[in-house]
Amino acid sequence: MRPLPPRRPPNPFRSPLRGPWLTSVLGTVLLAGLPVLFVTGLLSYAAYNPDLARINDKTPDKGLLGFYLFSWPTHPYWLYRLTQGVHVTLGVVLVPVLLAKLWSVAPKLFALPPLRSAGHALERLSLLLLVGGGLFEFATGILNVQLDYVFPGSFYRLHFYGAWVFVGALLAHTVLKVPIAVRTLRDRGLRAELRTPLERTRPEPRDPTGLVATDPAEPTVSRRGALGMVGLGSLALLLVTAGQSIGGPLRRTALLAPRGRNPGTGPNGFQVNKTAALAHVRPQDTGEAWRLTVRGNGRTVRLSRAELEAMPQRTSMLPIACVEGWSSGDQRWEGVPLRELAALVGHHTDPPGVFVESLQPAGSFRAVALRANQVRDGRALLALRVGGADLSPDHGYPARVIVPAAPGVMNTKWVRQLTFGATTFTTDSGEPA
Ligand SMILES: Nc1nc2c(c(=O)[nH]1)N[C@H]1C(S)=C(S)[C@@H](COP(=O)(O)O)O[C@H]1N2
Ligand SMILES: [Mo]
């Protein structure tokens, strides 16, 4: 008996919309957005001043990938709020486009046989890095924002290395696909296609890309309709996300914001990333017995809160802008400029950077190194009050740092010690910082 020819399963990819045109349109949108995501992501890493101290560096093994680092400026004071707001908002908004793009090329992703030749294997590998890398970056970013640092300690590393892998694959993919995308978009104008209703929606001509269905089903939606759904999805995500960065009345529309939609009322009524209780900062540590230790130049000064309040106070209108994309908006902070505290230990002109340590016993954001330019900016404070009231326990009472243009993590709460001109950054527990 002769063996039966292998039975081919019915082709599951029968949508008449698939084809190089739809893929090119979606690809063009991604090609406009992804570089912005990449650059704002790199900027976010630079904003931590990772080259200043190990403790600032969440990706210590970066090697050459840190080639572009520079000292993060303090002007304009809303810089990180802007770059990180764009990064997170754009990332969320591009999700429907990414999913639609993957849907549009699905037949290629599941093509059989999986490997036909060495060249084909290489192409598959680059696709794996592209698709896997893209999904990985979007998934880690969104999980980090929504699920409160689900990858303890490792998010930054995963997201940073993932970004380089993804961008490498994207670059190769772009070089390979731009010619066909340009040709396709030129042959089939966007306007004409967007005017085509369902009745006149036809599959694209068969072509070597293998995207067009061999046995297309009847269309149930036009290309205009399909792109419209993607656009509406993105618009809806924009509307429920952007408010967390923009603030004002829009904050209430930020339904996807992980924090701060109901932050309470009053001067301290804005987002809290980590509460005092979660940080294991106990009331007895922040009461009357609390002292701020200021060190530098071989000297040590200890100050009570009353003594800090007796120093000349300065007011700074500054936002907290978290890596998660949300911002508190400008708040009116009052306290002692960091450079005045440097002067207390003899740094009267051109103070150096400072190592800030919190009362918080453990956790990755309890200490930070600030650069000289941040200390020298007169708006950078050890804040005691916000919006005319004492800091609440959750916002860092008795004292917290606030620095213009810096990421939220630099604004250490429940400060215990400031070391100006520190050369080693080791916390009391001996942990390398
Ligand atoms: N000691 C300490 N300070 C900290 C943190 C922390 O976990 N511990 N979180 C930081 C982060 S990630 C942000 S975004 C801001 C949030 O400040 P807020 O809670 O007052 O809005 O505080 C920063 N300061
Ligand atoms: Mo943050």
Side-chain angles (χ1 to χ4, degrees), residues 149 156 270-275 279 281 320-324 326 328 333 358-360 364-367 394-396 400 407-415:
Y149 306 99
Y156 291 88
F270 58 94
Q271 293 91 328
V272 170
N273 180 296
K274 193 178 253 175
T275 61
V281 172
I320 302 239
C322 182
V323 66
E324 297 167 351
W326 58 262
S328 66
W333 305 93
S358 168
L359 288 170
Q360 188 183 337
S364 44
F365 303 133
R366 73 186 191 286
D394 289 341
H395 282 306
R400 79 170 304 163
V409 288
M410 315 304 265
N411 302 312
T412 307
K413 303 196 273 194
W414 317 291
V415 172

Side-chain angles (χ1 to χ4, degrees), residues 92-118:
V92 170
V93 163
L94 285 180
V95 166
V97 187
L98 180 81
L99 295 179
K101 174 75 162 57
L102 288 177
W103 174 87
S104 83
V105 295
K108 305 269 277 191
L109 304 182
F110 299 99
L112 291 171
L115 304 174
R116 283 192 288 266
S117 63

Side-chain angles (χ1 to χ4, degrees), residues 37-61:
L37 275 188
F38 184 57
V39 170
T40 49
L42 291 187
L43 286 178
S44 180
Y45 183 50
Y48 282 66
N49 279 332
D51 48 346
L52 184 63
R54 265 299 280 262
I55 195 154
N56 290 10
D57 196 354
K58 311 296 179 212
T59 312
D61 304 316

Side-chain angles (χ1 to χ4, degrees), residues 279-410:
H280 300 289
V281 172
R282 303 168 308 172
Q284 61 261 42
D285 301 327
T286 59
E288 279 296 307
W290 176 83
R291 293 290 177 277
L292 172 74
T293 307
V294 184
R295 298 195 307 174
N297 269 334
R299 305 187 208 173
T300 302
V301 176
R302 286 208 168 76
L303 299 158
S304 66
R305 204 181 126 111
E307 287 169 316
L308 284 166
E309 283 169 357
M311 290 177 71
Q313 305 290 299
R314 168 154 181 176
T315 302
S316 300
M317 288 296 292
L318 295 172
I320 302 239
C322 182
V323 66
E324 297 167 351
W326 58 262
S327 173
S328 66
D330 290 1
Q331 301 289 336
R332 194 157 54 84
W333 305 93
E334 288 166 78
V336 183
L338 293 179
R339 65 180 183 203
E340 298 304 328
L341 293 166
L344 283 184
V345 289
H347 289 294
H348 292 286
T349 50
D350 301 338
V354 67
F355 179 44
V356 182
E357 292 168 84
S358 168
L359 288 170
Q360 188 183 337
S364 44
F365 303 133
R366 73 186 191 286
V368 75
L370 300 176
R371 225 189 266 278
N373 69 318
Q374 296 174 314
V375 172
R376 290 173 192 180
D377 190 308
R379 299 167 297 173
L381 304 180
L382 183 72
L384 307 174
R385 296 161 62 79
V386 66
D390 283 346
L391 293 172
S392 69
D394 289 341
H395 282 306
Y397 184 90
R400 79 170 304 163
V401 164
I402 181 84
V403 179
V409 288
M410 315 304 265

